Amino acid sequence: MTLAKKAYGWLDAVVFDLVRELRWSFLPPLMVYFAAGIQGLTAIVGTFFVKEYLGLSAAFLAGLTFWAGLPWALKMPMGHLVDIIWRWKWMLVWVGAGLIATSMIIMVLLISDPDMMETIAPIPAWYVTSVILAPSGYVVQDAVADAMSVEAVPRFDENGEPLDEERARELHTTMQMLGRVAIITGGVGVSLLNIYMFSGVESLTQPEKAEVYADIYLLALAIPVISVSGVILAALQKRLAARRLRQRGADANEIALLFERPGEPTEPNQWYFIGGGAFVALSLAVGLSGIPFSQEIVFAGSFAIIVFLMRQLVQFLPPEKGSALIGTAVIIFVFRAVPLPGPGATWFSIDELGFDQQFLSVLSLIASVLTLVGMFVLRPLMATRPLTFIVIILTVAGGIMLLPNIGLYYGFHEITAPMTAGVVDARFIAIIDTAIESPLGQIAMIPMLAWIARNAPANLKATFFAVMASFMNLALSASSLATKYLNQIFTITREVRDRDSGQIMTPADYSELGMLLVTVLTITVAAPLLAILVVQKSPLKTPD
């Protein structure tokens, strides 16, 4: 076999085969997932808004990231609600769209008319409100999208015969793969748009920059429009399918299967709503009390609630499958719970390396594209290799992605630039913006999501998705806590000036950033590998 044929065979297995597996029914949930991927549109604007207008510390912002991640724990009762109101789940997408739109409008007004907003409430309070509202909307929509992804996989072949188990497994894996691809593709599109929007922004005055920032938040209102459009398309698809069945003479029961889920109706389980209510009550009580270690208390309480509900859910599975699912969840939890450098790394790249908004957008684009490429390359491995092998690859990749920032902090570019006539300078080395959370965690989720789609009981699929996703997203809260702790140990400050007098309120100090980056790298590589070793030596060993 020639090299060209081998290359084509590899390309066919990695890319073309995925395209052949596309189904028209896949499009509605992919639109909702794509809208979730676009949420990164405002990430860079938010970074510069905080840096230029708000005097918030790195530790506070890391703590705010923790609170912003907690609404995802509400996916538990939300997923169970989706199972219960299966036919009417589309209404929840509209609710989520309203929350997201409100968050974006708040930011538009904060940037375009801060004086008016400040007469109602302090600007930091508005910013915190916006940061909390957006993920609340995304979690509602995500719970519905997971259910739609199961519904989108056909149950019968072209001849009307039920799909065999192997074929169903392939289609569910493809659907979950495409869902992650849609999310990452949304991130790529966002990066391209940011590059265009931030073109020449470094030469603009502060009011002109504010106009650009406000325009980006206005563009972000397309996010809820896209997700709602996915729901409308799903309804249209079902109406067209029902019309075709009527034309073939199908009876009412056969047509009703298009709108109702097969199997027994879902019996409401009070524990999922009690658990969700306990989570909300705990978060509000602790958050509003102002007691020390409030984030840690909420995290511990949320962790206990989710683990309790996971035990309730695993009882519906055979013992060996339940143990394997828990082992898989633990490995992915640790992989997603490793700390990030925090905003200090981005501040350093802006202040010391001169990276502007447009170049940060380029770095974000490169990160998203590399992740998308990695997703396609690893797709055959996900079908043939165990999850532990995939996590090891992703762990090593995550460590490698931290190396450029470490090299830049210690001045590696000052050595390479003179040796290469300025080619290998700071911008050349910074191929990945590690200050922005890498979406590699999306890849690790694919095998587990496909497993749930195949093996969860038909009347509890959305609940399984929700509880396991809540556990996985709680890992991101753990990551935020770890990030906060590291930013308290290694103190990093940016220069803050008074908006009126221009006087320096807080001087810049990046002296401890190097040790912070090295510590993050060590934990990023060591923690997941240790988790795999422990789980695979325990009764929770996973063969998947």
Side-chain angles (χ1 to χ4, degrees), residues 423-463:
V423 175
V424 186
D425 60 0
R427 296 196 173 203
F428 185 93
I429 294 174
I431 59 171
I432 295 294
D433 180 18
T434 51
I436 298 176
E437 180 188 354
S438 172
L440 286 176
Q442 296 284 356
I443 301 177
M445 291 287 287
I446 293 173
M448 191 181 75
L449 294 175
W451 190 97
I452 293 173
R454 297 194 315 270
N455 296 288
N459 61 344
L460 287 173
K461 287 190 184 293
T463 307

Side-chain angles (χ1 to χ4, degrees), residues 16 110 135 160 165 169 218 233 311 335 452 498 515 532:
F16 298 153
L110 274 184
E165 183 177 349
R169 182 190 67 81
L218 283 173
L233 177 60
R311 290 190 61 186
F335 174 76
I452 293 173
D498 183 84
M515 285 305 302
I532 291 173

Side-chain angles (χ1 to χ4, degrees), residues 120-194:
I120 302 173
I123 289 180
W126 280 116
Y127 177 72
V128 170
T129 301
S130 175
V131 168
I132 299 297
L133 280 178
S136 299
Y138 289 121
V139 69
V140 173
Q141 294 195 345
D142 196 63
V144 181
D146 289 341
M148 292 172 66
S149 71
V150 175
E151 191 177 41
V153 175
R155 301 191 299 273
F156 305 95
D157 61 19
E158 295 80 1
N159 300 319
E161 297 296 326
L163 294 175
D164 59 53
E165 183 177 349
E166 181 62 23
R167 181 58 179 155
R169 182 190 67 81
E170 292 175 358
L171 287 176
H172 278 297
T173 301
T174 298
M175 178 68 250
Q176 298 306 322
M177 172 75 176
L178 289 171
R180 303 313 105 185
V181 169
I183 292 173
I184 305 301
T185 302
V188 171
V190 160
S191 299
L192 290 171
L193 184 59
N194 272 330

